[in-house]
Amino acid sequence: MTAVWAAAVLLVATGCSSDGDGARTGRIPLPASSTEGTGGTGSTGGASAGAPSTGAEASGSAAPAKGSAKVVRTLTEGLKSPWGLAALPDGDLLVSSRDEGTITRVAADSGKQTKIGSVPGVSPEGEGGLLGIALSPAYASDHLVYAYFTTESDNRIARMRYDDTRPSGEQLGAPDTVLRSIPKGTIHNGGRIAFGPDKMLYAGTGETGETGLAQDMKSLAGKILRMTPDGTPAPGNPVPDSLVYSPGHRNVQGLAWDSGNRLWAAEFGQNTWDELNLIEPGKNYGWPDVEGKAGKAGFVDPVVQWRTSEASPSGIAYARGSIWMAGLRGERLWRIPLDGRESAAAPQAFFEGKYGRLRTVLAVGGDKVWLVTSETDTRGTPEPGDDRILQLEVS
């Protein structure tokens, strides 16, 4: 395995990153109205695979150096430890609660919340619990919701049939476990899952604080995994009969594909650098041997890196030619304009300190993006209304 190209880098202030440690400071109070004004002009410093491409996306040219992000409205408030997010065919949202182990439906027009059910076996502890969710590629016919969650013994992925004709709270069928024995820890459980353009299921895992697991090819920890919807190794994986798509990761919580079907992943660093990586099958992303850009043979350097105090990245999404990355400790939304396999310009930051910790970003086509805050995850400083889902308009 060889190291690949390096791209433009952003160097900002220092810090340390687990699942976004450190409470926020100086948060700007939110108005009560449904329209919350515009995002900042930007400061330099669940994936949506099938959204229509426009502008730079369609032409293949680089995204503009500068973009914009505006909060159109607050869709809903009062969520408890929200983590995963998925869009139903009618536009409504499903959101998972890490600590309560429940999935709630949120109406896209009114923001009304309806608990659809609990996921049996969830054992929340530290950064573990009910984490990422995703809809089956055949959801229109099978109505299956996939979930990544922590149990008393491991992390696993299960699928459940969603029947919205049943009473509230009883709409999830019995879980069918498709993958078990992903190592668990109090920290670094990964947890993001997403179906790719190839209709295979991808999962980002963490190394649970045992750094050596990231380089252990017999372990599912510290990896990006690729599997069929049934949980078996996907055809074409780098090692036949292995789920491992790429090793050498510390804690992957963001997965998204661009308009060229390239996979991008956000990753927590330790003391120095958080990363945005372009993921290629079989390549090694370095942890724990390297952190950030090292230029070391055998390892892939990140496309962009941040000081951990400015990011602690969780979810990412692709929209309008850019990756949009939620920052936990950094309490901001980053826009990374792309030019093919590289960043087109220095990243822009929006909403710094305004909404607190940010967990999940979901692009749903065009300029519409959903953003989930993360103040009730034990690491934040909750205020009235936390946690919430915000509707963004981006460019």
Side-chain angles (χ1 to χ4, degrees):
M1 301 178 186
T2 59
V4 297
W5 43 268
V9 55
L10 174 65
L11 308 180
V12 284
T14 60
C16 133
S17 179
S18 177
D19 191 358
D21 55 343
R24 67 184 171 198
T25 57
R27 181 177 173 191
I28 302 169
L30 291 175
S33 63
S34 61
T35 300
E36 295 166 356
T38 63
T41 56
S43 60
T44 60
S48 174
S53 295
T54 58
E57 303 171 58
S59 68
S61 61
K66 298 294 183 181
S68 64
K70 179 175 68 173
V71 175
V72 177
R73 61 172 173 149
T74 296
L75 173 63
T76 198
E77 296 183 336
L79 297 170
K80 303 304 180 185
S81 61
W83 211 101
L85 192 69
L88 293 165
D90 66 358
D92 285 0
L93 301 174
L94 297 182
V95 58
S96 63
S97 169
R98 185 193 70 183
D99 296 341
E100 296 185 342
T102 58
I103 298 178
T104 297
R105 181 170 184 155
V106 180
D109 52 0
S110 66
K112 179 184 177 182
Q113 299 178 21
T114 304
K115 177 181 171 182
I116 69 169
S118 299
V119 178
V122 173
S123 179
E125 180 185 12
E127 296 173 6
L130 178 54
L131 303 174
I133 57 176
L135 302 186
S136 162
Y139 180 83
S141 57
D142 64 26
H143 300 286
L144 291 176
V145 177
Y146 285 69
Y148 182 117
F149 58 96
T150 311
T151 74
E152 291 185 353
S153 60
D154 62 2
N155 286 302
R156 61 183 61 175
I157 300 172
R159 57 189 177 188
M160 298 149 286
R161 183 175 175 83
Y162 172 33
D163 182 357
D164 62 4
T165 66
R166 294 179 57 83
S168 173
E170 302 176 10
Q171 297 175 350
L172 287 177
D176 170 26
T177 300
V178 299
L179 179 65
R180 65 181 74 238
S181 299
I182 303 170
K184 62 166 282 188
T186 304
I187 59 172
H188 303 176
N189 289 286
R192 195 69 62 182
I193 57 174
F195 281 94
D198 56 1
K199 298 184 180 180
M200 296 294 107
L201 179 61
Y202 293 72
T205 72
E207 34 77 306
T208 74
E210 295 187 31
T211 59
L213 294 180
Q215 294 295 329
D216 181 355
M217 293 299 291
K218 295 181 180 179
S219 174
L220 299 180
K223 310 294 191 300
I224 292 176
L225 310 177
R226 177 175 176 264
M227 67 200 81
T228 69
D230 294 327
T232 60
N237 275 3
V239 178
D241 299 321
S242 171
L243 294 165
V244 176
Y245 194 65
S246 62
H249 299 285
R250 185 169 182 263
N251 192 24
V252 175
Q253 289 191 7
L255 299 170
W257 287 262
D258 65 20
S259 59
N261 290 344
R262 291 173 287 255
L263 174 60
W264 297 82
E267 181 167 347
F268 288 91
Q270 185 176 33
N271 296 319
T272 312
W273 300 116
D274 291 326
E275 302 177 358
L276 178 68
N277 287 295
L278 175 62
I279 303 301
E280 296 182 292
K283 297 296 179 70
N284 192 317
Y285 289 81
W287 179 255
D289 298 82
V290 297
E291 180 183 359
K293 290 176 181 287
K296 187 174 182 179
F299 301 124
V300 178
D301 280 347
V303 175
V304 184
Q305 62 186 18
W306 291 259
R307 295 288 186 179
T308 54
S309 60
E310 301 294 319
S312 296
S314 187
I316 63 173
Y318 177 79
R320 295 300 193 190
S322 298
I323 294 291
W324 299 84
M325 186 179 83
L328 289 163
R329 186 180 178 199
E331 296 185 359
R332 67 203 72 181
L333 177 70
W334 286 101
R335 172 186 180 265
I336 304 96
L338 298 183
D339 184 3
R341 297 164 54 91
E342 302 181 6
S343 57
Q348 274 180 285
F350 296 91
F351 315 131
E352 183 175 347
K354 188 171 185 180
Y355 302 108
R357 295 160 54 81
L358 304 179
R359 172 68 67 181
T360 297
V361 195
L362 179 68
V364 289
D367 61 3
K368 186 177 180 179
V369 169
W370 296 110
L371 178 64
V372 181
T373 67
S374 190
E375 283 296 300
T376 59
D377 66 347
T378 74
R379 301 282 178 84
T381 309
E383 295 180 358
D386 285 331
D387 269 309
R388 60 198 78 219
I389 300 176
L390 307 172
Q391 181 183 337
L392 307 185
E393 181 180 287
V394 303
S395 68

PDB file of all heavy atoms in Angstrom, residues 1 10 91 93 128 182 193 258 276 331-332 358 363:
ATOM      1  N   MET A   1       0.836  -1.183   0.000  1.00  0.00           N
ATOM      2  CA  MET A   1       0.000   0.000   0.000  1.00  0.00           C
ATOM      3  C   MET A   1       0.881   1.246   0.000  1.00  0.00           C
ATOM      4  O   MET A   1       1.851   1.353   0.701  1.00  0.00           O
ATOM      5  CB  MET A   1      -0.884  -0.010   1.237  1.00  0.00           C
ATOM      6  CG  MET A   1      -1.788  -1.231   1.326  1.00  0.00           C
ATOM      7  SD  MET A   1      -2.748  -1.194   2.858  1.00  0.00           S
ATOM      8  CE  MET A   1      -3.527  -2.788   2.746  1.00  0.00           C
ATOM      9  N   LEU A  10      -5.581  23.187   5.940  1.00  0.00           N
ATOM     10  CA  LEU A  10      -5.965  24.284   6.822  1.00  0.00           C
ATOM     11  C   LEU A  10      -5.301  24.100   8.161  1.00  0.00           C
ATOM     12  O   LEU A  10      -5.412  23.054   8.749  1.00  0.00           O
ATOM     13  CB  LEU A  10      -7.487  24.252   7.010  1.00  0.00           C
ATOM     14  CG  LEU A  10      -8.021  25.242   8.017  1.00  0.00           C
ATOM     15  CD1 LEU A  10      -7.779  26.649   7.545  1.00  0.00           C
ATOM     16  CD2 LEU A  10      -9.489  24.992   8.240  1.00  0.00           C
ATOM     17  N   GLY A  91     -40.105  12.587   2.546  1.00  0.00           N
ATOM     18  CA  GLY A  91     -39.403  13.751   3.065  1.00  0.00           C
ATOM     19  C   GLY A  91     -39.326  13.818   4.578  1.00  0.00           C
ATOM     20  O   GLY A  91     -38.508  14.571   5.124  1.00  0.00           O
ATOM     21  N   LEU A  93     -38.358  12.640   8.383  1.00  0.00           N
ATOM     22  CA  LEU A  93     -37.059  12.194   8.860  1.00  0.00           C
ATOM     23  C   LEU A  93     -37.203  11.155   9.966  1.00  0.00           C
ATOM     24  O   LEU A  93     -38.142  11.205  10.761  1.00  0.00           O
ATOM     25  CB  LEU A  93     -36.262  13.383   9.403  1.00  0.00           C
ATOM     26  CG  LEU A  93     -35.984  14.520   8.421  1.00  0.00           C
ATOM     27  CD1 LEU A  93     -35.325  15.690   9.145  1.00  0.00           C
ATOM     28  CD2 LEU A  93     -35.119  14.046   7.262  1.00  0.00           C
ATOM     29  N   GLY A 128     -21.110   5.195  23.271  1.00  0.00           N
ATOM     30  CA  GLY A 128     -21.870   4.124  22.654  1.00  0.00           C
ATOM     31  C   GLY A 128     -23.358   4.258  22.896  1.00  0.00           C
ATOM     32  O   GLY A 128     -23.812   5.000  23.762  1.00  0.00           O
ATOM     33  N   ILE A 182     -18.470  -6.286  16.324  1.00  0.00           N
ATOM     34  CA  ILE A 182     -17.630  -5.103  16.154  1.00  0.00           C
ATOM     35  C   ILE A 182     -17.201  -4.687  17.559  1.00  0.00           C
ATOM     36  O   ILE A 182     -18.060  -4.467  18.418  1.00  0.00           O
ATOM     37  CB  ILE A 182     -18.389  -3.957  15.469  1.00  0.00           C
ATOM     38  CG1 ILE A 182     -18.951  -4.400  14.114  1.00  0.00           C
ATOM     39  CG2 ILE A 182     -17.483  -2.731  15.298  1.00  0.00           C
ATOM     40  CD1 ILE A 182     -19.906  -3.392  13.496  1.00  0.00           C
ATOM     41  N   ILE A 193     -23.390   4.663   9.404  1.00  0.00           N
ATOM     42  CA  ILE A 193     -23.643   3.701   8.340  1.00  0.00           C
ATOM     43  C   ILE A 193     -24.336   4.413   7.187  1.00  0.00           C
ATOM     44  O   ILE A 193     -25.076   5.381   7.383  1.00  0.00           O
ATOM     45  CB  ILE A 193     -24.490   2.497   8.810  1.00  0.00           C
ATOM     46  CG1 ILE A 193     -25.833   2.956   9.402  1.00  0.00           C
ATOM     47  CG2 ILE A 193     -23.715   1.656   9.809  1.00  0.00           C
ATOM     48  CD1 ILE A 193     -26.766   1.787   9.754  1.00  0.00           C
ATOM     49  N   ASP A 258     -19.377  11.815  -3.307  1.00  0.00           N
ATOM     50  CA  ASP A 258     -19.531  13.004  -4.145  1.00  0.00           C
ATOM     51  C   ASP A 258     -20.187  12.625  -5.461  1.00  0.00           C
ATOM     52  O   ASP A 258     -20.595  11.473  -5.674  1.00  0.00           O
ATOM     53  CB  ASP A 258     -18.181  13.713  -4.333  1.00  0.00           C
ATOM     54  CG  ASP A 258     -17.157  12.883  -5.103  1.00  0.00           C
ATOM     55  OD1 ASP A 258     -17.547  11.935  -5.835  1.00  0.00           O
ATOM     56  OD2 ASP A 258     -15.947  13.199  -4.998  1.00  0.00           O
ATOM     57  N   LEU A 276     -10.218  14.891   6.980  1.00  0.00           N
ATOM     58  CA  LEU A 276     -11.158  14.522   5.934  1.00  0.00           C
ATOM     59  C   LEU A 276     -10.365  13.711   4.922  1.00  0.00           C
ATOM     60  O   LEU A 276      -9.391  14.206   4.337  1.00  0.00           O
ATOM     61  CB  LEU A 276     -11.782  15.742   5.255  1.00  0.00           C
ATOM     62  CG  LEU A 276     -12.754  15.388   4.114  1.00  0.00           C
ATOM     63  CD1 LEU A 276     -14.017  14.718   4.648  1.00  0.00           C
ATOM     64  CD2 LEU A 276     -13.121  16.630   3.299  1.00  0.00           C
ATOM     65  N   GLU A 331     -17.912  23.242  17.231  1.00  0.00           N
ATOM     66  CA  GLU A 331     -19.193  23.962  17.238  1.00  0.00           C
ATOM     67  C   GLU A 331     -19.396  24.802  15.975  1.00  0.00           C
ATOM     68  O   GLU A 331     -19.808  25.951  16.034  1.00  0.00           O
ATOM     69  CB  GLU A 331     -19.293  24.855  18.474  1.00  0.00           C
ATOM     70  CG  GLU A 331     -19.301  24.075  19.769  1.00  0.00           C
ATOM     71  CD  GLU A 331     -19.511  24.959  20.984  1.00  0.00           C
ATOM     72  OE1 GLU A 331     -19.627  26.193  20.835  1.00  0.00           O
ATOM     73  OE2 GLU A 331     -19.550  24.418  22.104  1.00  0.00           O
ATOM     74  N   ARG A 332     -19.139  24.198  14.846  1.00  0.00           N
ATOM     75  CA  ARG A 332     -19.328  24.915  13.585  1.00  0.00           C
ATOM     76  C   ARG A 332     -19.543  23.906  12.465  1.00  0.00           C
ATOM     77  O   ARG A 332     -19.255  22.721  12.603  1.00  0.00           O
ATOM     78  CB  ARG A 332     -18.129  25.809  13.281  1.00  0.00           C
ATOM     79  CG  ARG A 332     -16.843  25.077  12.975  1.00  0.00           C
ATOM     80  CD  ARG A 332     -15.618  25.936  13.221  1.00  0.00           C
ATOM     81  NE  ARG A 332     -15.410  26.117  14.655  1.00  0.00           N
ATOM     82  CZ  ARG A 332     -14.406  26.854  15.150  1.00  0.00           C
ATOM     83  NH1 ARG A 332     -13.560  27.483  14.353  1.00  0.00           N
ATOM     84  NH2 ARG A 332     -14.250  26.955  16.462  1.00  0.00           N
ATOM     85  N   LEU A 358     -22.378  20.193  16.877  1.00  0.00           N
ATOM     86  CA  LEU A 358     -23.113  19.743  15.695  1.00  0.00           C
ATOM     87  C   LEU A 358     -22.745  18.296  15.404  1.00  0.00           C
ATOM     88  O   LEU A 358     -21.572  17.934  15.327  1.00  0.00           O
ATOM     89  CB  LEU A 358     -22.794  20.629  14.490  1.00  0.00           C
ATOM     90  CG  LEU A 358     -23.042  22.132  14.692  1.00  0.00           C
ATOM     91  CD1 LEU A 358     -22.659  22.908  13.437  1.00  0.00           C
ATOM     92  CD2 LEU A 358     -24.499  22.405  15.057  1.00  0.00           C
ATOM     93  N   ALA A 363     -27.815  15.667   3.338  1.00  0.00           N
ATOM     94  CA  ALA A 363     -28.217  16.357   2.114  1.00  0.00           C
ATOM     95  C   ALA A 363     -29.375  15.603   1.471  1.00  0.00           C
ATOM     96  O   ALA A 363     -29.338  14.372   1.374  1.00  0.00           O
ATOM     97  CB  ALA A 363     -27.039  16.434   1.145  1.00  0.00           C
TER      98      ALA A 363
END
